[in-house]
Amino acid sequence: MMDRARELDAADPLAKYRVHFILPDGLIYLDGNSLGALPSATPAVMQRVIQQEWGEGLIRSWNDADWFEMAARIGGKIAPLIGAEPQEVIACDTVSVNLFKLIAAALQMRPGRKIILSEPGNFPTDIYMIEGLERQGLATQRLASREDVPTALDEDVALLMLTHAHYKTGELFDMAALTKAAHEVGALVLWDLSHSTGAMPVDLGAIGADFATGCGYKYLCGGPGAPAFAFVAERHHRDLKQPLTGWFGHARPFAFSDEYEAAPGIEQLQCGTSPVLGLAALEVGVDLIAKIGVKRLHLKSQALSEFFLECVVELGLELELVSPADSAARGSQLSFRHQHAYAISQALIARDVIGDFRAPDILRLGFAPAYLRFEDIAEAARHLAEVIAGEEWQRDEFNRRAAVT
Amino acid sequence: MMDRARELDAADPLAKYRVHFILPDGLIYLDGNSLGALPSATPAVMQRVIQQEWGEGLIRSWNDADWFEMAARIGGKIAPLIGAEPQEVIACDTVSVNLFKLIAAALQMRPGRKIILSEPGNFPTDIYMIEGLERQGLATQRLASREDVPTALDEDVALLMLTHAHYKTGELFDMAALTKAAHEVGALVLWDLSHSTGAMPVDLGAIGADFATGCGYKYLCGGPGAPAFAFVAERHHRDLKQPLTGWFGHARPFAFSDEYEAAPGIEQLQCGTSPVLGLAALEVGVDLIAKIGVKRLHLKSQALSEFFLECVVELGLELELVSPADSAARGSQLSFRHQHAYAISQALIARDVIGDFRAPDILRLGFAPAYLRFEDIAEAARHLAEVIAGEEWQRDEFNRRAAVT
């Protein structure tokens, strides 16, 4: 198993990029789908931004260091990773706030329709943001299980809002087919790409997507709580009306006019002042992921998870896989259902193998392809087998839930 | 003039804090009301957060480095600066996004009322965020000039929303009187404290304020685009309903439930994932400003601006002051109207005296009391007199407006 891992590492064209990340010695990090690793270039960039741009440049840096342009510039760099044009993407706010803007925009563009269609068990914040508009009396939530989504689409639906790669199982939606089905009933579509961007190519242009948003702190390695991004197809820019009409989305913010006039392009998605420090860190991650390339990252991600499943078989581990068995049908992760998933994940962490527990019974292992080695995969599988075979996971310390897990 | 400045510096109890900030040699920075200076402790803190907490701790740092607690912890540190209880303040999102949450919450708490009352010429984003709720059909804007605000208050008004210290003139509203007047007609009050917090004490508790928000990157020295803060009086926590119902505002975000259940306390104001890097920088600034103390900062801020006006008189400068002449009636700034304000501000910048231009004709000089010396004030006045007396400001290069100013 380890020999095979070493062979795969030796043949891996992306192996050379591992040194572009800082990873603690001896740690096997299978949670890059939750918080991406630190690019080794980030600390120096942040010191420059803090000490030179902020400390020396002070207010002048909004112009001299192009702080005003960061949001659109980084959006433009994310665009090719998701099949968008540079002028269709902007880095701003959080996924949650961007969801609100885009759901509200869809409601404005589809007067008379109030239904926002999603699936139960979607990432919670996606559903919660619909609930926020329900609180305002503007939206009505409709949840249909993933196989029922096509039949739940009707002419009352303003917006179909789904997450491409499911956060818990990794299962992928067929973006092209569902976008087409939604458009056939006159609904708009909003894709949450949080668990896909940077791990696999997405082609928003080819499928005629309307809206999308995604996360900066997972596969894009932008740092904890990094700004998110938002996409609006250029054909909608003129008719777009989103309610978070802050001054950074104004056509001329420094005219200090009392009347809001939206910027003509994707900049109208901005609301408050750009979070410069967060954007600076995000840009380093985006540059690095773009340099490695999402097509190659996707191939490696598939190879990593396939190899993990081979190891599981070789070790005789009987585990209930809740992710799709076909790597083409899942994101860059494998999730297993186990009654003692929490304790097992804790026991693994104690062995420096960091995966994730997702309530109530899912052990989630992410395979961020930019910095993981096949050797890590073999080691992780061995640790998992030892933890399950032994009685380690039964220890009290692994069965006490932390306040936040 | 310079002798007097040196005397004042020698007697200044806050003079010793200047070394806690990094300021470029020879620069006179009169724009700390726009972007606060860099605390000298910030670079090392950020390196620790980036390299140790993110790089080494990775996902574990949400618990181990208390990332989950940062938003409430920093809110609790801002609270005493504004006369609030620690459990009433949280650091999150931007001022613009927080305005939206709080305006929408007021509308929910005052059913049947749609009017949001503010003043024309308020900081633009404040008015724009009302316009966002107008787009949704939920609010109606009413603007009344500051002297007419009391008579514009009636029982149709859901919320009175004003900025304590005006961004352009520095003129202060009487928070106590206006809060009382609004409450008398059953309206709620939202104070934007962006231009006061950290430069003067505010006592939200004593005046019975309902809501407030404010900026992290001005006098709090949290860095460019730092997270903002939001205040909700504890008596409103139970009935609060704000529409940006993201997962970080959930009572149990890691239960991953489909149903939104707001956290009981101020945490319900949170929406998306906390911006850890931005919060880490903000905390350093807040700690430093809190240590210096807002009462002492206010006294020095008044002394600085009064001394500037003395210098102006001594230099025989005839300038139209648009800020209140009484330092008790203004924020930590002086604004002058001048036909050539833009060119003058550019000429000053070329002399390393950084003030601000605010369209169409205002030269705004901010006196951040934590790091400015009286000597800087005398020097700035001398430069201003030279620029105006000479023909320097007439140079072409100072009269070409930058795309963004």
Side-chain angles (χ1 to χ4, degrees):
Chain A
M1 199 167 85
M2 193 49 83
D3 289 347
R4 173 80 185 125
R6 293 203 183 100
E7 279 170 34
L8 289 165
D9 280 323
D12 173 17
L14 305 193
K16 63 184 176 194
Y17 291 107
R18 183 175 164 91
V19 298
H20 293 274
F21 296 88
I22 292 170
L23 288 159
D25 285 343
L27 193 82
I28 300 175
Y29 190 57
L30 305 182
D31 213 356
N33 49 326
S34 190
L35 174 63
L38 170 64
S40 46
T42 303
V45 168
M46 293 304 286
Q47 283 305 89
R48 176 176 55 71
V49 171
I50 292 169
Q51 299 199 315
Q52 291 172 33
E53 294 184 9
W54 174 12
E56 299 281 325
L58 289 156
I59 194 71
R60 298 170 290 196
S61 290
W62 280 102
N63 288 304
D64 298 349
D66 286 329
W67 288 350
F68 280 118
E69 308 304 325
M70 288 180 91
R73 182 179 71 229
I74 298 169
K77 290 176 172 185
I78 293 170
L81 311 182
I82 56 176
E85 297 299 321
Q87 70 275 18
E88 293 178 318
V89 186
I90 193 147
C92 58
D93 293 310
T94 58
V95 168
S96 300
V97 169
N98 289 332
L99 287 167
F100 187 86
K101 295 172 195 166
L102 297 172
I103 298 169
L107 289 165
Q108 289 257 9
M109 289 168 69
R110 290 293 178 271
R113 299 184 181 206
K114 289 182 74 174
I115 303 279
I116 310 298
L117 175 61
S118 192
E119 66 159 340
N122 192 350
F123 187 76
T125 219
D126 295 67
I127 298 178
Y128 299 161
M129 297 319 293
I130 309 174
E131 293 188 32
L133 282 143
E134 285 186 316
R135 284 184 167 197
Q136 295 188 295
L138 300 174
T140 305
Q141 186 184 135
R142 180 186 288 173
L143 302 182
S145 60
R146 47 179 53 213
E147 58 278 14
D148 294 333
V149 165
T151 53
L153 273 170
D154 60 31
E155 296 190 353
D156 294 327
V157 175
L159 180 73
L160 172 63
M161 184 182 84
L162 295 169
T163 301
H164 178 216
H166 194 280
Y167 80 100
K168 210 182 260 187
T169 65
E171 189 172 354
L172 297 177
F173 274 114
D174 182 337
M175 290 176 65
L178 285 163
T179 300
K180 187 162 174 284
H183 286 173
E184 278 166 6
V185 297
L188 295 158
V189 185
L190 165 50
W191 287 105
D192 182 341
L193 303 177
S194 293
H195 285 268
S196 350
T197 310
M200 65 181 67
V202 171
D203 198 342
L204 293 173
I207 64 165
D210 302 295
F211 306 134
T213 184
C215 184
Y217 56 76
K218 298 179 185 292
Y219 297 109
L220 293 180
C221 298
F229 66 85
F231 157 90
V232 174
E234 194 165 17
R235 67 182 180 279
H236 294 314
H237 286 189
R238 212 183 51 187
D239 297 328
L240 197 77
K241 285 206 165 195
Q242 63 88 8
L244 295 181
T245 47
W247 75 312
F248 260 54
H250 196 278
R252 287 175 305 282
F254 289 84
F256 293 104
S257 152
D258 281 356
E259 281 82 42
Y260 184 76
E261 182 196 339
I266 192 69
E267 288 83 357
Q268 69 186 291
L269 259 281
Q270 292 186 96
C271 184
T273 307
S274 281
V276 172
L277 302 187
L279 286 172
L282 174 60
E283 188 163 23
V284 180
V286 169
D287 281 341
L288 180 51
I289 294 299
K291 184 177 161 197
I292 305 176
V294 282
K295 282 186 189 164
R296 294 199 297 174
L297 286 162
H298 188 211
L299 287 174
K300 180 169 171 190
S301 129
Q302 291 178 288
L304 288 168
S305 65
E306 285 164 4
F307 181 58
F308 187 88
L309 290 176
E310 284 169 40
C311 295
V312 162
V313 170
E314 190 174 325
L315 291 160
L317 264 174
E318 286 183 22
L319 283 170
E320 182 189 349
L321 179 68
V322 296
S323 302
D326 175 4
S327 68
R330 64 179 182 240
S332 195
Q333 68 184 75
L334 288 172
S335 299
F336 302 96
R337 179 169 290 121
H338 195 290
Q339 190 186 351
H340 301 294
Y342 179 77
I344 291 168
S345 74
Q346 292 296 304
L348 285 171
I349 290 170
R351 287 166 170 256
D352 271 353
V353 179
I354 299 190
D356 231 339
F357 165 74
R358 282 295 174 256
D361 56 4
I362 299 291
L363 175 69
R364 184 179 74 169
L365 305 177
F367 301 98
Y371 42 84
L372 282 180
R373 298 168 299 202
F374 290 90
E375 194 182 311
D376 299 320
I377 301 302
E379 276 291 293
R382 183 181 64 75
H383 281 291
L384 178 61
E386 287 177 13
V387 164
I388 291 180
E391 292 176 358
E392 197 172 330
W393 62 266
Q394 296 177 36
R395 280 193 217 152
D396 272 3
E397 69 205 81
F398 299 145
N399 284 276
R400 269 191 304 271
R401 298 276 176 103
V404 183
T405 55
Chain B
M1 199 167 82
M2 193 49 83
D3 289 346
R4 174 78 183 127
R6 291 204 184 100
E7 280 170 33
L8 289 165
D9 280 324
D12 173 15
L14 305 194
K16 64 184 175 193
Y17 291 106
R18 183 174 164 92
V19 297
H20 292 274
F21 295 89
I22 292 170
L23 289 159
D25 286 344
L27 193 82
I28 299 176
Y29 190 57
L30 304 183
D31 214 356
N33 50 326
S34 190
L35 174 63
L38 171 64
S40 44
T42 303
V45 168
M46 293 304 285
Q47 283 304 88
R48 177 177 57 71
V49 170
I50 292 169
Q51 298 199 317
Q52 290 172 36
E53 295 184 11
W54 173 14
E56 298 282 323
L58 288 158
I59 194 70
R60 298 170 291 197
S61 290
W62 279 103
N63 288 304
D64 298 351
D66 287 329
W67 287 351
F68 280 118
E69 309 303 326
M70 287 179 92
R73 182 177 73 228
I74 298 168
K77 290 175 173 185
I78 294 170
L81 311 183
I82 56 175
E85 297 298 320
Q87 69 277 15
E88 294 178 317
V89 185
I90 193 147
C92 58
D93 294 309
T94 58
V95 168
S96 301
V97 169
N98 289 332
L99 287 168
F100 188 86
K101 294 173 194 166
L102 296 172
I103 299 169
L107 289 166
Q108 289 256 8
M109 287 168 70
R110 289 295 178 269
R113 299 185 182 206
K114 289 181 75 173
I115 303 279
I116 311 298
L117 175 61
S118 192
E119 65 160 338
N122 193 352
F123 187 75
T125 218
D126 296 68
I127 298 177
Y128 300 160
M129 297 319 292
I130 308 174
E131 293 188 31
L133 281 143
E134 284 186 315
R135 285 185 167 197
Q136 294 189 296
L138 299 173
T140 305
Q141 185 185 135
R142 180 185 289 172
L143 301 183
S145 61
R146 49 179 51 213
E147 56 278 14
D148 294 333
V149 165
T151 53
L153 272 169
D154 61 30
E155 297 190 353
D156 294 327
V157 175
L159 180 74
L160 171 63
M161 183 182 85
L162 294 169
T163 299
H164 177 216
H166 195 280
Y167 79 100
K168 209 182 263 187
T169 66
E171 188 173 355
L172 296 178
F173 274 114
D174 181 338
M175 289 176 67
L178 285 163
T179 300
K180 187 162 175 286
H183 286 173
E184 278 167 6
V185 297
L188 295 158
V189 185
L190 165 49
W191 287 105
D192 182 341
L193 303 176
S194 293
H195 285 268
S196 350
T197 309
M200 66 182 65
V202 172
D203 199 342
L204 293 174
I207 64 164
D210 302 295
F211 306 133
T213 185
C215 184
Y217 55 77
K218 297 179 185 292
Y219 297 109
L220 293 180
C221 299
F229 66 85
F231 157 90
V232 175
E234 194 164 18
R235 65 182 181 281
H236 294 314
H237 286 189
R238 212 183 50 188
D239 297 328
L240 197 77
K241 284 206 166 196
Q242 63 88 7
L244 295 180
T245 47
W247 74 311
F248 261 54
H250 196 279
R252 287 176 305 282
F254 289 84
F256 295 103
S257 152
D258 280 356
E259 279 82 42
Y260 183 76
E261 183 194 338
I266 192 69
E267 288 83 358
Q268 69 187 289
L269 259 280
Q270 292 185 94
C271 185
T273 306
S274 282
V276 172
L277 301 186
L279 286 172
L282 174 60
E283 189 162 22
V284 179
V286 169
D287 282 341
L288 180 52
I289 294 300
K291 184 178 161 195
I292 305 175
V294 282
K295 283 186 189 164
R296 295 200 296 172
L297 286 162
H298 188 210
L299 287 174
K300 180 169 172 191
S301 127
Q302 292 179 287
L304 289 168
S305 65
E306 286 164 4
F307 181 59
F308 187 88
L309 291 176
E310 284 168 41
C311 295
V312 163
V313 170
E314 191 175 327
L315 291 160
L317 262 174
E318 285 184 23
L319 282 171
E320 182 189 350
L321 179 68
V322 295
S323 303
D326 176 3
S327 69
R330 65 180 182 239
S332 195
Q333 68 184 74
L334 287 172
S335 298
F336 302 96
R337 179 170 290 120
H338 196 290
Q339 190 185 351
H340 301 295
Y342 180 76
I344 291 168
S345 74
Q346 293 296 305
L348 285 171
I349 290 171
R351 287 165 170 257
D352 270 353
V353 180
I354 300 190
D356 231 339
F357 165 74
R358 281 296 173 256
D361 56 4
I362 299 290
L363 176 69
R364 185 179 76 168
L365 305 177
F367 302 98
Y371 41 85
L372 281 180
R373 297 169 300 201
F374 290 90
E375 194 182 312
D376 298 321
I377 301 303
E379 276 292 293
R382 183 180 62 75
H383 281 291
L384 178 61
E386 287 177 13
V387 164
I388 290 180
E391 291 178 357
E392 195 171 330
W393 62 266
Q394 296 178 35
R395 281 194 217 151
D396 271 2
E397 69 204 80
F398 299 144
N399 284 276
R400 269 192 304 270
R401 296 278 175 103
V404 183
T405 54

